[in-house]
Amino acid sequence: MDSIINAWAWKKYFIFGLCLILLGTDFVLTDISADDSTVFLKVGVYENEPLIFTDKNGTVEGVYADIIRYIAEKEGWEIEYVHGTWDECLNRLRNGSIDILADIAYTEERSRTYDYTNETVLVNWGQLYVQKGSKIQTFPDLEDKKIAVVTNDVYNVGPRGIRKLMEKFDINCTFIEVKEYADALEAVENKSADAGVVNRLYGMKFENKYEIDRSPILFSPIELRFAFPKNASMNPYLIGKIDHYMEELKK
């Protein structure tokens, strides 16, 4: 009888010890898989060549795409690009359906709605384009004119955007809202607008495709960064990583 009891006791200790070993193994495996796990990220993309755009093969390219690709390779990120208009990208950033929005201007007002990297990618300006042969040379020349602007673009509604400037100088004009910069330049070319606002880099890239003139009017220098849904749990990690690699790339 004693031998049976001893055998059962030994079996209980053996099973208990085996469970501890298995649990310990599980913990180790979990730690290893956590270290090696891929981070899946949704990145908002709109058409703003040369900063970020979709090429004819459907591949996302541009300055921001190169930065994202570089960091993703270093950190093992899996990137899913979510395409849309500028306004759609902002809405997705606001509601948290994307993790990162590339190529977005930093303003204090926007920083109350989104989180940003600390590092700036580059600085850009607003550029006004006008009809071929137009005499528009200064802001006062925009009196009673029609101006094509992209919905929610910083050069449209930002603190130093064209609307604020027209208000500041007491200039009466009509704004025609469009979805993309290309639409603004097309509106100028087909004379449905007297002028159109795009960012300087986009204008330099595409101005020769249209029968339009680049005016001398430049305004609103703005820092371009990466942005994230406000207070999202991944933000400290993502901001830290992107800032780190941006500092590295600038050296």
Side-chain angles (χ1 to χ4, degrees), residues 152-203:
N152 284 326
D153 183 44
V154 70
Y155 304 110
N156 172 15
V157 295
R160 291 177 290 176
I162 191 72
R163 288 181 185 268
K164 291 288 187 183
L165 290 170
M166 295 300 96
E167 182 181 330
K168 178 180 178 180
F169 293 118
D170 196 25
I171 297 170
N172 295 310
C173 57
T174 301
F175 292 100
I176 302 170
E177 296 220 341
V178 297
K179 291 183 177 181
E180 305 285 358
Y181 284 142
D183 301 328
L185 297 185
E186 287 172 9
V188 177
E189 183 180 50
N190 65 32
K191 295 182 170 52
S192 59
D194 299 290
V197 174
V198 301
N199 75 58
R200 176 181 61 92
L201 294 176
Y202 184 92

Side-chain angles (χ1 to χ4, degrees), residues 134-151:
S134 172
K135 295 182 179 180
I136 295 173
Q137 298 288 303
T138 64
F139 284 132
D141 295 332
L142 292 169
E143 182 73 32
D144 295 327
K145 297 296 191 291
K146 296 178 181 178
I147 306 173
V149 291
V150 173
T151 301

Side-chain angles (χ1 to χ4, degrees), residues 19-35:
C19 287
L20 287 177
I21 292 170
L22 290 173
L23 284 171
T25 303
D26 285 345
F27 289 140
V28 171
L29 288 174
T30 301
D31 288 341
I32 291 172
S33 62
D35 289 341

Side-chain angles (χ1 to χ4, degrees), residues 46-53 103 124 180-181 199 202 206:
Y46 64 103
E47 300 306 308
N48 188 20
E49 192 173 350
L51 298 178
I52 195 160
F53 64 98
D103 185 17
N124 209 355
E180 305 285 358
Y181 284 142
N199 75 58
Y202 184 92
F206 291 106

Side-chain angles (χ1 to χ4, degrees), residues 22 40 60 84 87 91 106 128 136 193 240-241:
L22 290 173
F40 294 90
V60 176
D87 202 38
N91 287 332
Y106 173 85
L128 193 82
I136 295 173
K241 289 296 183 183

Side-chain angles (χ1 to χ4, degrees), residues 85-131:
T85 65
W86 168 245
D87 202 38
E88 287 170 341
C89 285
L90 278 184
N91 287 332
R92 288 167 182 157
L93 187 66
R94 192 177 298 113
N95 65 33
S97 59
I98 57 175
D99 302 297
I100 304 173
L101 179 56
D103 185 17
I104 176 171
Y106 173 85
T107 67
E108 286 189 18
E109 182 181 2
R110 281 182 176 175
S111 70
R112 292 191 284 271
T113 305
Y114 318 113
D115 288 335
Y116 282 86
T117 49
N118 298 299
E119 289 293 318
T120 297
V121 177
L122 51 82
V123 177
N124 209 355
W125 290 266
Q127 173 71 62
L128 193 82
Y129 282 86
V130 296
Q131 294 176 12

